[in-house]
Amino acid sequence: MASSSTQTLALQTDSSALNCFKEKLMAKIFRFYDEQSLTDVTFKVSNPTAHVPAHRLILAAASPYFENLFKGNKGNKPIIEINDIDSDIFERLITFCYTGQALITVTNVGAMLKAAIRLQLDDAITRCVEYLMAHIDEYTLHDAYMLERETRCEILKRKFIEYEIKNFMEISQSDEFLNFDVEKLQRILESDNLNITREEVAFEAIKRWFNYDVAAREKQLPLLIACLRLTQFDADFLLTHIQPLPGCELLAFKAISWISKPEARTKINMRFTEPRGVSAANCNEKTLLVVCSEETEINPKVLQYNKAEGKWQEYASIKYDHYGCRTILKDDNILFIGGNKNGAPSNIVRSWNIRSKTWQNLPAMKQARWRHCVVELDGKIYAIGGREGKINLTEDRAMSSVERYTTSDGWEFVSSLNDRRYNASAVTLNGKIYIMGGRNSGVPLKSVECYNPDSNTWTSCADMTECHWLHGVAVHKGHIYVVGCFSGNGTVERYDPQQNTWSKICSLEVGRGIIACASLDNKLWAIFFSVSGNKISVSVYNEENDRWEQKCAFPGHFVLSCYVVPVALLK
């Protein structure tokens, strides 16, 4: 037994000398193990049968399981049988007790984790979980969830929660998601770091989970709806989508009161009233990605904005020879839809992966179109309106047809627009599609339409104050902003969906050219041809002072589209 004087001496020993001593000691111990020297216990392990010699003192120090085993009656035997662990896995974990290292592979990580839990090797459990999460794509999500359920490993459960928060948009579409218990899903949805592009994504995920077993989950639904940032929806969405849900009437009423009566907010008891946070740690740091071309809109370049340096840099060059096509960001891909090649409209759809910079062909649209609009709503791609004629100023044939794409059903027509239009702009907001402006038979439009996917109908909204075509459009802080016009009109308008009204804000000195805009870092950005600078400029709207502040020049000519993407996607 160590005396207090020897303990004090050990504490006062120089740390570098102490570390050196420990390294030599462990090296000597491992050599004894490697040479099977001075071992005092042997394990007889099955499948296949093998004998594994070891040192009791080392194993007891490494694991409470071995400590208790050797203190018991069974531990006094020179040979101890282990029947519930494969010999290869057992030997690897015995080696871990000496070295702190083990060869973990995709094929053995499940068995390694189960055995490490059985032997109470906490460090080995942590190593297995870390390896599994780093190789989750190779292991498959289904098998990983099976392993979590079998082992009930708290470390794995915690890591899965982190993974699900970070990859929620993908996870929520998986079959495994439908079997999440309510406590697990509640913990995920409560997270301020939930990685979603908009709050509607979380709502749609809850609906999918709920519809999988309505009878069993009806009482649990309000618990999950309460985890949403309900104040980020507008009153129409709350009345249409939240209030009809069983047990959610009061939640909808509170949220509507919070939105419409700011003076009463201190009296309204709500769990979450602020939008979810943004953090670089969970891959939510965003930047701008722009598809642009030099002159003819074909063979575009992809540019990314470096926020740290305040400048643009080329990310990739793309070979795509369709004039007047439209693009949309879908997960890690940019979809190029339609366009006009050799004077004729096309129904082609191709997907360009941002990470791998490779192409993939997708099913073609039912109808060829160019100068149309494309948006994504609830995971479905919509192609709206456009031109069906050739590139000929005398043949200006606008379209009203709308078709929708899903991976399961391909392209299918839905209700047509009320007004034929091309060179319009469209966005999604609160579970609906809004399309505004454009041209019809050469005549500029100021009309606006709204599509409700639940009823498959287009309804007219309040007209814009002026006509806009090839204009920029973005959703920003619950409103729709329309920026400028191809003709050089720099008017900027803001639409309030709750009031169905348009109002003008500070205009831009826009020259003749295509305009793009986006909402990034809680600010409205616009990319446009500047009259004063005779070049493409980037400006940010200052809401407090109602003025536009110039950020930087832009090295492109035709801006085809602008997207907000995670910085991690471009690495």
Side-chain angles (χ1 to χ4, degrees):
M1 182 176 177
S3 66
S4 60
S5 60
T6 57
Q7 291 176 0
T8 304
L9 180 61
L11 291 172
Q12 293 175 348
T13 303
D14 179 72
S15 59
S16 60
L18 182 60
N19 289 335
C20 182
F21 171 78
K22 290 179 180 178
E23 290 176 5
K24 288 181 179 180
L25 180 63
M26 289 308 302
K28 189 74 171 180
I29 290 172
F30 182 70
R31 195 177 81 186
F32 287 149
Y33 171 71
D34 199 36
E35 297 173 350
Q36 298 186 13
S37 175
L38 302 178
T39 57
D40 53 2
V41 66
T42 299
F43 295 94
K44 183 181 177 182
V45 197
S46 57
N47 194 26
T49 301
H51 290 80
V52 181
H55 302 85
R56 296 173 187 267
L57 181 63
I58 300 300
L59 301 190
S63 160
Y65 170 85
F66 287 116
E67 181 180 2
N68 294 328
L69 174 66
F70 297 142
K71 286 180 177 179
N73 295 330
K74 186 179 177 181
N76 295 324
K77 298 178 180 180
I79 298 179
I80 300 175
E81 291 189 13
I82 302 290
N83 297 315
D84 52 356
I85 302 176
D86 290 350
S87 55
D88 178 68
I89 298 298
F90 185 81
E91 190 165 6
R92 289 173 191 260
L93 290 175
I94 293 299
T95 302
F96 183 88
C97 293
Y98 288 83
T99 66
Q101 298 177 353
L103 180 59
I104 306 173
T105 66
V106 172
T107 55
N108 75 13
V109 64
M112 288 279 283
L113 178 60
K114 293 176 184 178
I117 294 172
R118 168 87 168 80
L119 301 177
Q120 296 178 266
L121 291 168
D122 291 344
D123 290 335
I125 293 171
T126 301
R127 301 286 194 284
C128 289
V129 170
E130 289 174 347
Y131 180 91
L132 178 63
M133 300 311 298
H135 298 79
I136 191 71
D137 294 334
E138 303 170 53
Y139 193 75
T140 78
L141 198 59
H142 173 75
D143 291 342
Y145 278 120
M146 286 284 291
L147 184 63
E148 180 200 11
R149 286 192 287 270
E150 290 175 9
T151 61
R152 298 183 180 181
C153 175
E154 284 300 320
I155 299 175
L156 182 58
K157 183 178 181 180
R158 186 169 62 250
K159 286 292 183 181
F160 257 125
I161 293 291
E162 295 174 4
Y163 178 84
E164 288 151 355
I165 290 171
K166 181 179 177 180
N167 300 275
F168 184 78
M169 296 182 70
E170 174 189 353
I171 294 294
S172 63
Q173 296 302 311
S174 68
D175 292 338
E176 286 76 17
F177 176 79
L178 299 174
N179 293 310
F180 280 9
D181 60 62
V182 67
E183 291 79 11
K184 178 186 184 73
L185 190 50
Q186 188 175 4
R187 185 175 174 185
I188 294 170
L189 292 167
E190 286 174 341
S191 173
D192 196 43
N193 293 325
L194 189 65
N195 191 12
I196 54 177
T197 54
R198 60 189 192 281
E199 198 64 23
E200 288 86 348
V201 173
F203 170 73
E204 290 299 329
I206 294 174
K207 273 181 54 179
R208 182 170 181 262
W209 179 87
F210 171 66
N211 290 333
Y212 184 69
D213 191 350
V214 173
R217 296 173 175 179
E218 185 171 327
K219 292 182 179 180
Q220 301 168 333
L221 183 61
L223 294 174
L224 301 181
I225 294 297
C227 298
L228 294 173
R229 279 39 176 181
L230 293 171
T231 58
Q232 301 307 301
F233 301 123
D234 63 20
D236 181 58
F237 184 93
L238 292 165
L239 287 170
T240 305
H241 297 281
I242 304 297
Q243 188 177 26
L245 297 175
C248 297
E249 297 86 352
L250 182 58
L251 291 171
F253 173 76
K254 285 183 177 181
I256 292 171
S257 300
W258 178 278
I259 294 169
S260 60
K261 300 177 180 179
E263 68 281 1
R265 289 178 179 176
T266 55
K267 301 177 182 179
I268 302 173
N269 182 24
M270 293 193 67
R271 291 187 64 191
F272 304 104
T273 57
E274 297 295 328
R276 298 182 191 272
V278 175
S279 123
N282 66 359
C283 297
N284 271 337
E285 183 183 354
K286 303 290 196 335
T287 191
L288 295 176
L289 191 72
V290 172
V291 180
C292 63
S293 67
E294 293 300 325
E295 296 181 359
T296 60
E297 299 186 33
I298 64 173
N299 297 329
K301 293 182 178 180
V302 180
L303 305 181
Q304 67 180 96
Y305 181 61
N306 186 322
K307 291 193 290 186
E309 299 181 10
K311 64 181 183 180
W312 296 87
Q313 58 193 53
E314 183 173 331
Y315 179 75
S317 293
I318 298 178
K319 296 294 182 182
Y320 190 81
D321 55 0
H322 285 62
Y323 174 84
C325 76
R326 288 296 178 260
T327 67
I328 187 169
L329 183 69
K330 174 65 174 171
D331 300 323
D332 294 350
N333 304 282
I334 299 177
L335 274 56
F336 288 73
I337 302 175
N340 199 309
K341 183 176 181 180
N342 299 326
S346 169
N347 63 350
I348 190 174
V349 181
R350 300 194 70 197
S351 174
W352 185 77
N353 186 268
I354 296 173
R355 295 183 186 274
S356 62
K357 302 179 182 178
T358 56
W359 286 101
Q360 179 183 359
N361 292 323
L362 295 180
M365 293 183 290
K366 289 184 175 295
Q367 191 167 5
R369 62 184 79 223
W370 61 295
R371 294 298 192 197
H372 48 294
C373 293
V374 290
V375 296
E376 179 186 8
L377 179 63
D378 298 333
K380 305 175 180 67
I381 304 296
Y382 290 77
I384 309 169
R387 288 182 66 174
E388 58 180 341
K390 296 182 178 180
I391 302 178
N392 186 331
L393 294 178
T394 63
E395 192 177 1
D396 195 0
R397 292 158 54 187
M399 304 170 64
S400 63
S401 69
V402 182
E403 48 188 306
R404 176 175 62 199
Y405 173 75
T406 60
T407 54
S408 57
D409 301 325
W411 290 95
E412 56 183 0
F413 286 110
V414 296
S415 291
S416 297
L417 293 165
N418 296 322
D419 293 329
R420 297 173 179 268
R421 63 182 80 215
Y422 66 90
N423 284 344
S425 291
V427 293
T428 60
L429 176 64
N430 298 329
K432 298 178 180 178
I433 299 172
Y434 291 83
I435 187 168
M436 53 225 74
R439 296 171 73 91
N440 183 3
S441 300
V443 178
L445 303 173
K446 64 171 67 173
S447 63
V448 179
E449 297 182 46
C450 174
Y451 177 73
N452 186 332
D454 295 334
S455 59
N456 189 29
T457 55
W458 289 92
T459 56
S460 297
C461 301
D463 288 351
M464 296 180 288
T465 60
E466 297 186 19
C467 297
H468 296 263
W469 55 287
L470 284 177
H471 46 292
V473 62
V475 171
H476 178 64
K477 294 185 177 181
H479 292 75
I480 298 173
Y481 287 76
V482 170
V483 181
C485 179
F486 182 84
S487 62
N489 177 354
T491 298
V492 182
E493 303 190 41
R494 177 171 55 202
Y495 178 68
D496 185 337
Q498 296 186 41
Q499 303 297 324
N500 188 30
T501 56
W502 288 90
S503 57
K504 289 185 178 181
I505 63 172
C506 179
S507 61
L508 279 168
E509 293 186 353
V510 175
R512 183 180 175 86
I514 303 173
I515 303 164
C517 54
S519 179
L520 172 67
D521 295 341
N522 216 26
K523 297 178 181 178
L524 181 65
W525 296 59
I527 305 174
F528 59 97
F529 188 81
S530 173
V531 175
S532 58
N534 196 30
K535 61 183 179 181
I536 303 292
S537 295
V538 180
S539 291
V540 174
Y541 179 57
N542 185 321
E543 294 175 78
E544 293 183 2
N545 300 321
D546 187 30
R547 63 189 179 94
W548 290 89
E549 299 172 351
Q550 186 169 334
K551 291 289 290 186
C552 58
F554 184 80
H557 188 67
F558 282 95
V559 182
L560 306 181
S561 52
C562 177
Y563 303 110
V564 177
V565 300
V567 173
L569 179 62
L570 307 176
K571 293 181 179 179

